[in-house]
Amino acid sequence: MKTAVFSARRYDKLMLAQANQEAGHELLFFEERLTRQSAALAQGCTAVCVFVNDTVDADVLALLAGQGTRLVATRSTGYNQIDLAAAEKHGIAVVRVADYSPYSVAEFAVGLLLAVNRKIARASMRTREGNFELDGLMGFDLHGKTVGIIGTGKIGTIFARIMAGFGCTVLGNDLHPNPAFEALGGRYVPVAELIAASDVVSLHCPLTDATRHIVNAASLAQAKRGSILVNTSRGGLVDTEAAIAALKTGQLGGLAIDVYEQEASLFFQDLSSSIICDDIIQRLVSFPNVIVTGHQAFFTSEAIGQIMQTTIASITAFERGQPLANQVLSRAG
Ligand code: NAD
């Protein structure tokens, strides 16, 4: 099936082409993000394959539908960038990758937490300069601390298991309690109680209307002073300006983020020779107790392999008129 692949980086081309060897779909790779301007590149493509920062809103879907697109396949778990109701209106099916190594993201979240708490990146930068001073690098033991997890699905529960292994008390908040989370000693509490009681809060819920800015000025004011916030889920879960204000006063003791609300114009590209006009991200990276990575938590060979195979399998199933195991339906649908 003729498929336009947007936001295609070198590894996307390599791994998707590898996964496509048997299926033999005609893949057209575009480095551009999908936007209203670039949608014309998908002219005549029955399928369009996107990633987290592509724009798949009602206007883009109308353009795609007019050009013959019938399937949108996102190479991600989250699908908040896609207007599902508009897709349904235009008769475009939407598939995602519901299952791929959740260890990739959970392990990365642990890495971010250790890096920000124990100042590992700062220490490494110092030693490269011949500075072996420890002043300013003190962290705290995770053992015996309380870790609050918002969203105890696949990734959140693995993160909880690792934190329990560190000897932490684990609190959770979720619309749907997960027995696997409770089995490892996790206890569910309301979100306000979780934020107030936790030394570390880690976000693992999807971005929805209900979770947008779930961490905001009011909740940060209720947080334990000096606590650490980890976000590997979606940037929109955190009101970044409120987080900056809390970092300035020390109310927030550390921030480790792999995702950022305005990441679409920054992430997945080399801007090291450009003037970055986003003052919020520039302020964030200036804090010694903040770590920002560019949406790489999923980036392991296992996860990428599974993402590409599932994506190709979905395109094949669609072509053959078979049921779509990874279809996402609009709430109305
Ligand atoms: P999942 O569906 O297994 O778990 C999500 C959990 O969040 C579910 O248990 C759900 O009930 C819960 N939830 C939904 N709304 C909630 C709310 N209002 N309050 C509290 N909990 C709520 O998904 P997953 O595979 O664990 O992925 C979690 C998120 O991680 C994804 O939605 C995605 O945004 C993010 N993610 C990020 C990366 C990355 O590279 N940084 C990669 C994959 C996924």
Side-chain angles (χ1 to χ4, degrees), residues 86-305:
E88 193 171 291
K89 183 179 133 201
H90 292 293
I92 295 179
V94 175
V95 290
R96 64 168 176 153
V97 183
D99 276 307
Y100 67 84
S101 170
Y103 301 99
S104 62
V105 183
E107 290 172 8
F108 193 81
V110 177
L112 279 183
L113 170 57
L114 290 173
V116 78
N117 175 30
R118 304 302 301 273
K119 285 75 173 170
I120 294 171
R122 269 191 95 191
S124 171
M125 283 190 293
R126 277 191 191 181
T127 56
R128 279 168 186 258
E129 299 291 322
N131 176 359
F132 300 93
E133 175 64 75
L134 296 187
D135 216 19
L137 300 183
M138 195 185 291
F140 58 79
D141 284 5
L142 286 170
H143 180 89
K145 298 297 187 301
T146 299
V147 176
I149 300 168
I150 302 181
T152 56
K154 291 181 287 295
I155 296 169
T157 295
I158 293 168
F159 180 81
R161 186 173 304 129
I162 300 171
M163 289 294 97
F166 271 70
C168 299
T169 298
V170 180
L171 301 179
N173 177 266
D174 200 303
L175 301 177
H176 308 288
N178 180 352
F181 175 78
E182 292 176 302
L184 54 88
R187 187 164 61 85
Y188 283 105
V189 292
V191 73
E193 189 178 331
L194 180 148
I195 289 177
S198 297
D199 300 285
V200 173
V201 173
S202 194
L203 307 178
H204 298 287
C205 56
L207 177 61
T208 63
D209 289 344
T211 60
R212 187 173 300 280
H213 289 186
I214 196 165
V215 176
N216 52 47
S219 56
L220 285 165
Q222 298 306 313
K224 219 172 180 176
R225 187 164 177 83
S227 57
I228 290 179
L229 175 64
V230 181
N231 186 8
T232 53
S233 200
R234 283 294 179 267
L237 297 175
V238 177
D239 179 340
T240 316
E241 298 204 47
I244 288 173
L247 283 162
K248 282 183 181 170
T249 62
Q251 172 65 4
L252 191 56
L255 176 68
I257 55 172
D258 185 48
V259 287
Y260 167 58
E261 199 165 10
Q262 309 303 334
E263 70 179 51
S265 58
L266 297 169
F267 284 12
F268 308 118
Q269 42 190 332
D270 180 0
L271 301 176
S272 55
S273 305
S274 312
I275 305 293
I276 293 178
C277 295
D278 182 329
D279 293 345
I280 295 179
I281 195 91
Q282 294 299 75
R283 183 67 183 99
L284 273 182
V285 296
S286 75
F287 285 101
N289 51 348
V290 170
I291 286 198
V292 179
T293 51
H295 209 135
Q296 72 174 85
F298 70 101
F299 203 50
T300 66
S301 52
E302 290 83 356
I304 299 291

